[in-house]
Amino acid sequence: MYWDKEIETISASDLKQEQLQNLKKTVQNAKKSTYYKNILDKININTLDDIENIPFTSKQDLRDHFPYGLLAKDLTESVRLHSSSGTTGNPTVVFHTKEDINQWADLVARCMYMTGVRKTDVFQNTMGYGLFTGGLGFHYGAEELGMLTIPVGPGNSKRQIWFMQEFGTTAIHILPSYAIHLYSYFEKMGLDPKKDTSLKTAFLGAEPHTDALRKEIEKLYGIKAFNSYGLSEMCGPGVAFECLEQDDMHIWEDHFYAEIIDPETGEVLPDGEEGELVLTTLKRAAMPLLRYRTRDLSSIISEPCKCGRTHRRIARIKGRSDDMLIINGVNIFPMQIEKTVMQFPGVGNNYHIEIKKEDHMDRINILIEVHEEIFNGTLSKLDQLKKQIIEALKAECGVRPIVKLVEPESLPINEGKAKRVFDLRDKEEN
Ligand code: AMP
Ligand code: ZN
């Protein structure tokens, strides 16, 4: 189902009523998991405010209870799992029943329909298929809406453009950084997407981006671009999305209970105040999550939207309350890099991670100090170490960094707390 007026324009009091019913069911269901069983032992939900008695769930909790600790249904009822990008130690894994998958497809279809996309559109998905949810999540939503769906997957700009032109792609799901990169490819080929494609709509998601960048993409392609927010722990894309007003993202409150907290104290903040988004699944069967700390910084907008939908909106994501980096849509924690680099005996004491924009895409450069004897040893040994480090980082993080091995004690040291990550993306290009 991709358009249900009754649900999307539900009154605040009816919505609260429905949320309360589903929260009660979710808590009951969650009690079947080994993780929540004890935590929820003494929790009674009589009003929505009672949710504040439930402790937060974190990414670390998911890792610590890998793989089945948060599973509330028998594993045989799950039909799919997704997992977030590489992590040191256990990854976060999320399970879905057939019904969970259907609901997710409905949500994504609802999002796309809201932007004016219809069955007659041709949809091209340039996001990664596989464990990452941007591929299959949008794919199922687009098919639910009945569009011709082209699962090109990421990269290969020439092929992207070929498909767009041959099949008259009108709607595209794309990383904002890749949209800019792809434009330069159009230019190189002497093409202008405004004239030489049928593109009308883009869904931009999976990484933080500014409104200015969105406007730039709209101008370059002659299209409307909509912000798409989601995270694999909830389902993936389909959590919050912009409507035609393009004035922040409706969060689907029939499926997710949203709170904003002070990331330091955990205190729940009133609508309008900026803090960390905390989400509770209200309908998921296989793996309910209660008060999940997304670490994404936003605020809840309760003023009515001109489109008439009553589900409140969340503001464009301002950043994160942890140190997670998003490199071309892939999530990486600096600790993953440290652990991988430091396992090589030739590596010295210090390293720096620099993230820059090159040709509009994120590039990660890692400067690593090596021991004297390695640095002054044979070139082939140095080169071999570099190759090994690159391969290990690729395997751990899912992205290939540029690695430079440098002399011992050549990297500047910060006084006080070590500063090793230098995110220089804002300072360039945009
Ligand atoms: P993943 O679990 O791999 O799907 O990554 C989810 C994370 O990507 C979120 O928690 C956000 O930090 C980030 N993200 C997803 N969509 C957006 C968006 N539209 N704007 C900013 N950040 C986003
Ligand atoms: Zn709206």
Side-chain angles (χ1 to χ4, degrees), residues 157-208:
S157 301
K158 196 171 169 189
R159 191 169 56 173
Q160 300 286 0
I161 295 173
W162 187 85
F163 271 101
M164 271 180 212
Q165 293 196 304
E166 288 296 320
F167 297 97
T169 302
T170 55
I172 190 165
H173 179 211
I174 192 162
L175 281 174
S177 50
Y178 185 56
I180 299 281
H181 178 77
L182 186 65
Y183 181 78
S184 53
Y185 208 88
F186 270 104
E187 274 188 318
K188 261 188 228 153
M189 291 173 72
L191 295 170
D192 175 0
K194 289 193 282 301
K195 290 198 236 104
D196 300 317
T197 73
S198 309
L199 280 177
K200 286 187 316 196
T201 310
F203 308 118
L204 305 177
E207 65 185 14

Side-chain angles (χ1 to χ4, degrees), residues 15 47 108 126 140 157 199 262 273-274 285 287 301 318 339 342 349 408:
L15 176 67
T47 69
V108 174
T126 73
Y140 276 59
S157 301
L199 280 177
D262 178 327
E273 279 192 33
E274 194 176 296
M287 198 174 133
I301 300 152
K318 302 245 164 37
K339 283 198 178 161
M342 290 302 173
N349 299 326

